[in-house]
Amino acid sequence: MAIGYVALVLHAHLPFVRHPESDYVLEEEWLYEAITETYVPLLRVFEGLKQDGVDFKITMSMTPPLVSMLRDPLLQERYDAHLTKLEELVEKEAEHNSHNGHIKYLAEHYAKEFSATRELWERYQGDLVTAFKEFQDSNNVDIITCGATHGYLPLMKMYPQAVWAQIQVACEHYEQNFGRPPRGIWLPECAYYEGLERMLADAGLRYFLTDGHGILYARPRPRFGTYAPIFTETGVAAFGRDHESSQQVWSSEVGYPGAPEYREFYKDLGWEAEYEYIKPYIMPNGQRKNTGIKYHKITGRGLGLSDKALYDPYWAREKTAEHASNFMFNRERQVEHLHGIMGRQPIIVSPYDAELFGHWWYEGPWFIDYLFRKSWFDQGTYQMTHFSDYMRANPTQQVCRPSQSSWGYKGFHEYWLNETNTWIYPHLHKTAERMIELSEREPEDELHWRALNQAARELLLAQSSDWAFIMRTGTMVPYAVRRTRSHVMRFNKLYEDIKIGKIDSGWLEKVEYMDNIFPKINYRTYRPL
């Protein structure tokens, strides 16, 4: 009889990046890399576990922008071409390095991986959402939603209609794609403010995830800390992140991904191969970029990229099994300790960005595979669970009011409101005000109806927390600035055209084609609550 629970939670999210107006935009490759390195490897792990009789349980958010992109025919077609180029490149690499046994071995390793990706991709006809839905239908994966465009909710709370739109549009989009309403939500950036749970309850959501201090600073102080969810006064449950188990995985300094046997992320063939050779596989303008083919391992701390030794997947996989065993051992001891103190079954909630597994930490999907297998066969101290199963089995919890919180730097919104990105918020607030104003209008004809709905899309896309996040990290900043400005400018043109009653139908059609997220959106969701 297990005396506790472990809940692994993956947050699968990418901002909505789709540029049909251009033949090539580098940022679209965020999606292609995630498909190849994270989403397909995870599906392959799930299939293997199912095939071997391991009744695994995992919670996984799939955000509306990600689901929309995964189901977009244009992006599916472009990904197919992207994968074809990778397959061609590794085939050339195997031939080109016939004299170098180790590089040839690695090229053949990648060739097998890409071949397996191709097989799964074609089996589902490019629709990976259907693949994940199958595991939800079998109750192995508890798929939860997120804000419609990952908008940072505490910084729009002065406009409750804007917060409501992020929640309602997300729930409607989820139901359209998964065939039932969502039960839970990963709050964007785990950012919570007091009163948000009322909207979550009104939307039919039963639980949400917040960072640990959102629970620890709740009122009254929760008796069991983060090791049991709390119920808010609306009946919506809040789960808190466990810092200890999270850090063991995500930290490249003290966590598993920094092991010297693992693949080095920052040393890529796209930057190292002879220019004329690699030119067909980099950017059309001739600039180098990552290809995803990497031949070196981390090797050791303090070494320059030129000093890295060659990678070996065999030994990396052995190290992954060792780390999965260590994680299991630590959770067993943690559960035993907590059970003795609490006198009831604790739940250890371990949330991570999904792209850590495979994209940033190449061996991450192997770690998940080993962890589920070892937890199933090698121990009986804890039970792997997901949030829906846990809620059904544990319907009684302490009632508290969570504390406002977020994850990231300092944990109280600083990462999304600082000197690098503060300029965007007056624009977003004014746009929200104008959208609430537009929501009261009745459309004169179908063209006005389309314009009003497109205005709602543009506001949602402008509100994506990804743009503020990118401005703060200092990477790809011009793109984030351009996206924020373009959506606000498109909204403002729509607003002015609607106000004067003259819609530019040709321009509207182009914008609808470019920003085609939420095809069934209803602008009236912004009406006063």
Side-chain angles (χ1 to χ4, degrees):
M1 180 69 179
I3 59 173
Y5 300 92
V6 173
L8 197 63
V9 190
L10 302 184
H11 181 46
H13 167 65
L14 287 171
F16 188 74
V17 178
R18 177 183 179 275
H19 292 281
E21 74 278 13
S22 301
D23 290 334
Y24 178 83
V25 173
L26 177 63
E27 287 78 10
E28 280 188 355
E29 294 199 4
W30 295 344
L31 174 67
Y32 311 152
E33 291 171 353
I35 291 173
T36 305
E37 298 168 2
T38 296
Y39 307 140
V40 167
L42 284 175
L43 285 167
R44 289 173 58 200
V45 166
F46 296 166
E47 288 184 346
L49 292 169
K50 195 79 174 169
Q51 182 178 329
D52 294 343
V54 178
D55 189 23
F56 69 98
K57 305 286 182 177
I58 189 170
T59 305
M60 186 170 176
S61 71
M62 294 190 70
T63 69
L66 175 62
V67 170
S68 298
M69 291 188 294
L70 288 175
R71 288 204 140 160
D72 185 84
L74 173 68
L75 294 176
Q76 289 172 342
E77 180 183 329
R78 289 183 173 182
Y79 173 72
D80 197 273
H82 172 86
L83 181 57
T84 298
K85 273 202 162 186
L86 284 179
E87 292 171 315
E88 180 185 304
L89 177 56
V90 291
E91 188 176 336
K92 281 181 63 175
E93 276 292 283
E95 295 174 5
H96 186 68
N97 292 284
S98 58
H99 61 287
N100 187 328
H102 199 133
I103 298 290
K104 185 173 187 290
Y105 156 65
L106 288 169
E108 290 171 347
H109 164 76
Y110 284 119
K112 289 176 184 175
E113 292 293 300
F114 296 153
S115 176
T117 299
R118 168 70 65 188
E119 187 278 327
L120 189 144
W121 175 259
E122 292 185 348
R123 177 154 42 93
Y124 286 99
Q125 299 178 309
D127 185 2
L128 299 187
V129 175
T130 293
F132 281 108
K133 182 179 181 297
E134 288 184 5
F135 290 105
Q136 173 171 265
D137 293 343
S138 65
N139 197 37
N140 293 109
V141 181
D142 180 20
I143 300 178
I144 60 178
T145 191
C146 191
T149 55
H150 218 263
Y152 198 83
L153 304 182
L155 295 181
M156 60 178 82
K157 68 178 180 179
M158 63 289 295
Y159 302 105
Q161 298 94 324
V163 177
W164 174 248
Q166 282 279 344
I167 296 168
Q168 184 187 42
V169 171
C171 289
E172 291 172 349
H173 187 266
Y174 180 102
E175 189 165 4
Q176 291 158 15
N177 283 277
F178 294 102
R180 64 167 176 81
R183 298 190 184 106
I185 185 169
W186 177 298
L187 294 179
E189 316 297 1
C190 289
Y192 167 83
Y193 67 89
E194 191 167 333
L196 179 58
E197 65 274 13
R198 296 187 186 93
M199 291 193 195
L200 302 181
D202 289 344
L205 294 161
R206 299 293 300 124
Y207 52 85
F208 66 92
L209 181 72
T210 185
D211 209 321
H213 56 287
I215 305 295
L216 294 174
Y217 298 154
R219 304 185 308 275
R221 188 170 182 178
R223 181 180 179 190
F224 301 118
T226 59
Y227 301 111
I230 58 175
F231 279 139
T232 64
E233 292 166 350
T234 64
V236 178
F239 288 86
R241 177 169 73 114
D242 170 54
H243 178 75
E244 179 183 333
S245 62
S246 297
Q247 188 181 43
Q248 281 182 335
V249 175
W250 62 254
S251 174
S252 61
E253 295 298 316
V254 299
Y256 303 135
E261 292 87 350
Y262 289 151
R263 193 181 76 163
E264 172 60 61
F265 178 83
Y266 294 102
K267 196 170 172 65
D268 187 280
L269 182 65
W271 299 92
E272 304 209 320
E274 191 272 326
Y275 183 74
E276 290 302 322
Y277 172 82
I278 201 67
K279 188 175 179 182
Y281 307 98
I282 53 177
M283 295 171 66
N285 65 4
Q287 288 185 320
R288 291 180 181 264
K289 68 174 183 67
N290 284 349
T291 63
I293 298 172
K294 307 172 196 291
Y295 290 143
H296 295 82
K297 61 182 178 179
I298 293 170
T299 308
R301 303 243 179 234
L303 293 177
L305 289 180
S306 60
D307 299 319
K308 303 289 185 178
L310 288 173
Y311 176 65
D312 191 330
Y314 176 85
W315 292 111
R317 188 180 279 274
E318 291 291 302
K319 179 58 70 172
T320 308
E322 179 185 317
H323 281 156
S325 294
N326 177 259
F327 187 87
M328 180 182 75
F329 174 84
N330 288 333
R331 299 294 73 73
E332 288 182 281
R333 304 293 83 75
Q334 190 178 11
V335 165
E336 289 168 351
H337 174 69
L338 291 168
H339 184 265
I341 294 173
M342 294 167 59
R344 58 170 282 178
Q345 294 174 300
I347 179 170
I348 298 168
V349 177
S350 304
Y352 313 96
D353 284 327
E355 284 189 63
L356 170 64
F357 297 89
H359 177 62
W360 297 106
W361 180 22
Y362 179 68
E363 298 78 11
W366 301 344
F367 172 86
I368 290 176
D369 188 30
Y370 282 126
L371 177 61
F372 276 122
R373 291 176 186 276
K374 289 175 180 293
S375 297
W376 181 258
F377 291 112
D378 297 349
Q379 63 83 42
T381 305
Y382 64 80
Q383 175 184 340
M384 297 290 286
T385 190
H386 56 53
F387 288 160
S388 285
D389 272 7
Y390 179 87
M391 292 285 289
R392 280 190 287 268
N394 299 270
T396 305
Q397 303 291 344
Q398 185 178 359
V399 177
C400 305
R401 292 182 179 180
S403 165
Q404 69 161 318
S405 53
S406 69
W407 73 355
Y409 179 66
K410 294 187 178 179
F412 290 101
H413 320 311
E414 291 95 328
Y415 211 86
W416 293 270
L417 182 63
N418 53 70
E419 69 281 359
T420 68
N421 52 36
T422 187
W423 65 270
I424 70 175
Y425 292 103
H427 299 286
L428 296 181
H429 296 338
K430 186 63 179 179
T431 307
E433 285 179 12
R434 288 181 158 187
M435 189 65 237
I436 293 165
E437 176 193 336
L438 290 179
S439 71
E440 299 277 26
R441 300 177 72 95
E442 289 300 323
E444 300 171 14
D445 52 32
E446 185 191 356
L447 190 62
H448 279 75
W449 168 259
R450 287 166 48 200
L452 287 161
N453 286 335
Q454 192 61 36
R457 292 187 189 99
E458 297 302 330
L459 171 56
L460 289 169
L461 288 167
Q463 289 173 328
S464 170
S465 70
D466 300 278
W467 313 138
F469 178 84
I470 291 170
M471 291 174 202
R472 175 62 178 81
T473 59
T475 58
M476 314 296 281
V477 172
Y479 181 77
V481 171
R482 188 165 67 250
R483 286 294 301 273
T484 302
R485 287 178 173 166
S486 65
H487 293 305
V488 171
M489 289 170 66
R490 287 170 193 169
F491 175 91
N492 286 336
K493 175 171 172 53
L494 287 163
Y495 174 80
E496 298 295 344
D497 287 358
I498 292 166
K499 291 280 284 184
I500 64 174
K502 291 184 179 179
I503 311 297
D504 185 338
S505 60
W507 179 84
L508 175 59
E509 188 174 341
K510 289 178 184 176
V511 173
E512 287 175 323
Y513 178 56
M514 288 189 290
D515 299 334
N516 68 345
I517 196 170
F518 309 127
K520 296 184 180 180
I521 197 171
N522 187 330
Y523 73 95
R524 295 189 181 100
T525 192
Y526 282 95
R527 288 190 169 176
L529 301 173

